Amino acid sequence: MGNGCEKVLGLGLASCFFWLASVFAALAGECRDDRVTLRGDWGQAGFTVEVADDAEERAQGLMHREQMAKSAGMLFVYPAPRSVGFWMKNTLIELDMIFADRTGTVRRVHHRAQPHDERPIMGGRDIQYVLEINGGLARQLGISEGSQLQHPSIDAQVAAWPC
């Protein structure tokens, strides 16, 4: 016997709670610096984020963290589109990396980057935003190329999904 969300969506109780919290936040129209919302054919999801928008914060990223809440992440913001690459040196948790262009449109998803791996993970050219979340969540939620990010740092004049 499962809960109603499990029966309708095929999700476990914890995933249902996470999904419902994301939906309610999106419906409330929240657009805050500490929140990223994504949408696509798969639905919507929201994450509480730390923003890394200067060179020092971007260099530190999520290194040395032993855990991260399932509903949390880090949004890397670059001043202009560029080629970006990440590595997992000194990163202790598995991560999904979601690479987006200047409009907030997802151009690439790298699933389950492995802790301590020093091989570069390239996001492609013309990337301005990178969202890191717990490894496995992007696939579980359905986040894929073409999905859209909503965050105040994305210029409303060009945003695929403006605040």
Side-chain angles (χ1 to χ4, degrees), residues 36-89:
V36 168
T37 306
L38 293 103
R39 72 176 180 185
D41 294 341
W42 49 270
Q44 278 187 213
F47 297 89
T48 301
V49 292
E50 296 175 55
V51 177
D53 59 2
D54 66 36
E56 185 177 326
E57 291 170 337
R58 288 190 297 266
Q60 177 65 32
L62 291 170
M63 290 192 307
H64 308 292
R65 308 263 180 113
E66 294 182 5
Q67 61 184 1
M68 182 169 62
K70 189 173 184 179
S71 61
M74 180 170 278
L75 180 65
F76 294 79
V77 177
Y78 293 90
R82 62 182 59 194
S83 293
V84 298
F86 282 64
W87 66 351
M88 297 290 287
K89 182 178 182 179

Side-chain angles (χ1 to χ4, degrees), residues 9 33 35 44 56 58 70 77 92 99 107-108 115 118 135-136 141 163:
L9 298 174
D33 287 337
R35 183 134 190 98
Q44 278 187 213
E56 185 177 326
R58 288 190 297 266
K70 189 173 184 179
V77 177
L92 308 176
F99 297 91
R107 296 295 170 212
R108 179 168 188 258
E118 294 186 25
L141 294 169
C163 285

Side-chain angles (χ1 to χ4, degrees), residues 3-157:
N3 61 57
C5 182
E6 183 178 21
K7 290 177 186 174
V8 174
L9 298 174
L11 300 174
L13 185 58
S15 294
C16 285
F17 176 76
F18 177 71
W19 180 80
L20 286 171
S22 298
V23 168
F24 287 130
L27 290 175
E30 290 184 47
C31 203
R32 307 182 330 224
D33 287 337
D34 68 342
R35 183 134 190 98
V36 168
T37 306
L38 293 103
R39 72 176 180 185
D41 294 341
W42 49 270
Q44 278 187 213
F47 297 89
T48 301
V49 292
E50 296 175 55
V51 177
D53 59 2
D54 66 36
E56 185 177 326
E57 291 170 337
R58 288 190 297 266
Q60 177 65 32
L62 291 170
M63 290 192 307
H64 308 292
R65 308 263 180 113
E66 294 182 5
Q67 61 184 1
M68 182 169 62
K70 189 173 184 179
S71 61
M74 180 170 278
L75 180 65
F76 294 79
V77 177
Y78 293 90
R82 62 182 59 194
S83 293
V84 298
F86 282 64
W87 66 351
M88 297 290 287
K89 182 178 182 179
N90 299 321
T91 304
L92 308 176
I93 56 178
E94 188 178 70
L95 297 171
D96 288 344
M97 297 176 188
I98 301 165
F99 297 91
D101 66 16
R102 64 179 251 169
T103 70
T105 302
V106 174
R107 296 295 170 212
R108 179 168 188 258
V109 179
H110 180 88
H111 300 278
R112 296 188 176 275
Q114 294 303 302
H116 306 292
D117 190 349
E118 294 186 25
R119 291 174 293 177
I121 298 165
M122 303 307 294
R125 297 187 352 215
D126 297 324
I127 300 299
Q128 193 165 357
Y129 307 96
V130 181
L131 176 62
E132 290 184 338
I133 58 176
N134 282 292
L137 273 180
R139 188 164 280 135
Q140 179 184 351
L141 294 169
I143 300 168
S144 58
E145 290 181 14
S147 297
Q148 299 169 337
L149 276 73
Q150 184 183 61
H151 187 267
S153 66
I154 303 171
D155 182 353
Q157 300 296 321

